[in-house]
């Protein structure tokens, strides 16, 4: 099993640019989560999907952030326009079903200049 | 918002010693999970303990759960330098999403 796959692993962009982060969950997993990790705020849940449907996006910081899951094997997190305060490590995680273990991807380290 | 708080925030020990980390949480839970994160890497799942369980073992790891006190502890026995990492507890609270604590940074000196 390849685990959760995220791309890119590193992204450096300039303020105002659009950023798209990608995630491929583990096959057979029904839930997908997007997290952001910073030194100041720790690990924050941004949004999660069950069966490709967004369930809770209360953690999405503002309208500049959007997430989609067009099918069971792919999700994107988009930031448009990006700002320096968006600099963080973004993790994707997937889970087979409620109450079970979440498996994390390696993360995307985003730097917005 | 964070559901769990780990204690201590940082812990330094010598190889061979035991390391104990504690986690407190606020709401009722279905399960509590512990994760490890090496510097610059993703989170790795260590162990899951359900609310009706009091203790669980996995190799050198021992996790206890006290739902009456809303607390859990993670014990790593005979620590190794490779155990150096941050350790997080995570709970599902009253929803099906995990909320992570602030983490304990463990440093094991050879």
């Amino acid at each position: 099993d390849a685990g959760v796959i995220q791309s890119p692993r590193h992204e450096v962009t300039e303020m105002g640019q659009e950023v798209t982060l990608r995630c491929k969950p583990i096959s057979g997993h029904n839930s997908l989560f997007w997290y952001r990790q910073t030194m100041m705020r720790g690990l924050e849940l941004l949004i999660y999907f069950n069966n490709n449907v967004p369930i809770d996006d209360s953690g999405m910081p503002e309208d500049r952030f959007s997430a989609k899951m067009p099918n069971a094997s792919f999700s994107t997190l988009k930031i448009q326009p990006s700002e320096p305060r968006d600099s963080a490590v973004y993790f994707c995680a997937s889970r087979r079903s409620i109450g079970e273990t979440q498996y994390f991807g390696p993360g995307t380290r985003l730097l917005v200049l | 918002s964070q559901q769990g708080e780990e204690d201590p925030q940082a812990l330094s020990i010598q190889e061979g010693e035991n390391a104990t980390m504690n986690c407190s949480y606020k709401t009722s839970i279905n399960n509590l999970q512990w994760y490890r994160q090496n510097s610059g890497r993703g989170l790795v799942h260590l162990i899951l303990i359900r609310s009706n369980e009091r203790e669980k073992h996995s190799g050198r790891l021992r996790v206890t759960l006290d739902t009456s006190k809303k607390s859990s502890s993670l014990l790593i026995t005979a620590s190794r330098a490779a155990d150096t990492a941050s350790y997080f507890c995570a709970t599902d609270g009253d929803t099906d999403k995990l909320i992570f604590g602030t983490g304990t940074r463990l440093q094991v000196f050879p």
Side-chain angles (χ1 to χ4, degrees):
Chain A
D1 194 333
V4 176
I5 299 172
Q6 290 186 248
S7 65
R9 294 292 308 276
H10 302 273
E11 177 83 21
V12 180
T13 190
E14 292 187 345
M15 184 173 64
Q17 295 298 306
E18 177 179 293
V19 175
T20 299
L21 310 181
R22 297 173 177 80
C23 175
K24 177 179 169 56
I26 294 172
S27 178
H29 283 197
N30 296 327
S31 301
L32 183 142
F33 303 80
W34 282 102
Y35 292 88
R36 177 174 68 177
Q37 187 177 37
T38 62
M39 288 293 293
M40 292 297 294
R41 300 175 67 89
L43 195 62
E44 304 173 277
L45 176 65
L46 300 177
I47 186 172
Y48 78 97
F49 297 83
N50 279 346
N51 297 313
N52 313 337
V53 176
I55 302 300
D56 185 344
D57 65 355
S58 59
M60 296 285 262
E62 47 198 272
D63 292 346
R64 297 184 298 105
F65 285 69
S66 63
K68 293 182 179 179
M69 192 164 186
N71 57 62
S73 60
F74 184 66
S75 176
T76 58
L77 178 67
K78 186 174 294 186
I79 308 172
Q80 166 63 19
S82 58
E83 296 182 2
R85 60 191 167 127
D86 301 331
S87 297
V89 182
Y90 290 81
F91 289 103
C92 176
S94 70
R95 177 186 71 188
R96 185 169 55 183
S97 60
I98 293 174
E100 297 200 13
T101 300
Q102 283 188 23
Y103 294 89
F104 281 76
T108 295
R109 190 172 297 273
L110 173 65
L111 178 61
V112 183
L113 303 174
Chain B
S1 64
Q2 287 174 319
Q3 156 86 310
E5 294 287 334
E6 283 90 341
D7 171 58
Q9 289 188 339
L11 179 62
S12 295
I13 59 174
Q14 295 290 132
E15 255 189 339
E17 294 180 340
N18 295 341
T20 300
M21 289 159 268
N22 303 297
C23 168
S24 59
Y25 56 92
K26 298 174 183 175
T27 67
S28 61
I29 63 171
N30 295 311
N31 64 63
L32 183 145
Q33 303 183 40
W34 284 92
Y35 287 80
R36 182 187 73 220
Q37 183 178 34
N38 290 85
S39 180
R41 308 290 291 273
L43 281 79
V44 174
H45 180 260
L46 296 176
I47 200 163
L48 181 152
I49 186 166
R50 301 199 185 277
S51 60
N52 60 353
E53 297 175 309
R54 291 296 168 258
E55 189 170 311
K56 208 160 183 181
H57 296 255
S58 176
R60 294 184 295 113
L61 305 181
R62 173 178 167 251
V63 168
T64 61
L65 178 65
D66 187 335
T67 52
S68 66
K69 296 181 179 178
K70 292 186 169 58
S71 67
S72 173
S73 67
L74 170 66
L75 168 68
I76 304 174
T77 59
S79 63
R80 306 166 181 169
D83 295 328
T84 294
S86 291
Y87 292 81
F88 295 87
C89 69
T91 54
D92 55 1
D94 54 1
T95 68
D96 70 351
K97 59 185 182 183
L98 280 184
I99 305 297
F100 284 79
T102 51
T104 292
R105 293 187 307 279
L106 173 66
Q107 176 78 50
V108 182
F109 292 99

